[in-house]
Amino acid sequence: MTTAVCTSASNATARAATRPAVRGTQTLTYPSFSSYMRARQPVLLRTARSLTANACDAEDLLQTALTKTYVAWERIEDHRALDGYVRRALLNTRTSQWRKRKVDEFACDELPEPETVGGAEDPAEQQALHDAMWRAIAKLPERQRAMVVLRYYEDLSEVQTAEVLGVSVGTVKSAVSRALGKLREDPELVLAR
């Protein structure tokens, strides 16, 4: 599966790695950072992706963490532990973003309940009806069950159902009619109405 990736963030990080860093009047370049970033970016991007909701946010998060790593490049003594440093920067940056997120809470006397939208039922009742329907369908003879599933769950036409099962259209019509009659009389489904 291919994931959409915001290439602007990774391209910006790559350009920043090849540009010299300016500290006071001194210009610093880190070719080792550039090679590290190119080699480890896919792995670190997967880590960032696991911390965020989408690919673009993950690239932004990784770019920020790599920027922090670039700034601290001279202070990092053990370059074998760079992945751990960048992962910690990813986690700290994500935690900071999460903490900065503004949450509005308002105290009120009554809890707001969602209004039911025209005919919307309780999800538990809908699930119970769904389960009862499948139990009723399971009671049908195999051939009728196959025709009902193809017609109403797979949304095939009568002609398509007949072709799939290798029977005539009239057979499909009569079998589905008998099956629907049995479903209408099922005691579990009668109670649900």
Side-chain angles (χ1 to χ4, degrees):
M1 183 173 92
T2 305
T3 305
V5 178
C6 300
T7 57
S8 60
S10 59
N11 292 342
T13 305
R15 286 190 305 271
T18 57
R19 279 192 225 134
V22 177
R23 180 177 291 163
T25 59
Q26 182 181 12
T27 302
L28 303 172
T29 57
Y30 302 120
S32 57
F33 176 79
S34 182
S35 62
Y36 166 77
M37 186 200 64
R38 279 192 211 101
R40 299 301 295 166
Q41 188 170 8
V43 174
L44 295 171
L45 185 58
R46 281 194 299 273
T47 303
R49 181 68 174 97
S50 69
L51 296 172
T52 61
N54 65 47
C56 292
D57 288 344
E59 287 211 354
D60 290 345
L61 180 62
L62 180 59
Q63 181 180 7
T64 303
L66 287 174
T67 302
K68 290 178 180 181
T69 305
Y70 184 77
V71 169
W73 193 255
E74 285 182 337
R75 293 189 317 255
I76 301 172
E77 294 175 10
D78 186 8
H79 282 246
R80 292 175 297 183
L82 284 171
D83 281 354
Y85 186 92
V86 176
R87 283 191 187 102
R88 176 49 61 185
L90 284 168
L91 189 59
N92 290 346
T93 303
R94 184 65 184 139
T95 302
S96 296
Q97 291 171 347
W98 178 78
R99 285 180 180 155
K100 289 177 185 175
R101 189 181 65 187
K102 184 178 180 183
V103 178
D104 293 328
E105 292 184 19
F106 302 100
C108 59
D109 294 334
E110 295 179 26
L111 291 176
E113 295 294 329
E115 296 292 326
T116 55
V117 181
E121 296 179 16
D122 180 28
E125 290 177 21
Q126 289 177 344
Q127 185 62 45
L129 179 60
H130 181 265
D131 293 343
M133 178 61 79
W134 276 109
R135 282 192 298 275
I137 289 173
K139 293 176 192 174
L140 294 173
E142 187 176 325
R143 190 172 179 176
Q144 288 179 358
R145 184 173 55 237
M147 290 182 190
V148 166
V149 168
L150 289 173
R151 279 287 290 128
Y152 297 103
Y153 284 93
E154 295 295 325
D155 203 26
L156 297 181
S157 68
E158 291 169 340
V159 174
Q160 291 170 325
T161 303
E163 288 175 6
V164 168
L165 296 175
V167 297
S168 70
V169 176
T171 303
V172 171
K173 287 180 180 182
S174 62
V176 168
S177 176
R178 283 191 304 274
L180 292 177
K182 288 179 183 179
L183 290 175
R184 284 186 196 101
E185 294 172 1
D186 190 282
E188 275 191 275
L189 297 178
V190 170
L191 294 175
R193 286 186 215 148

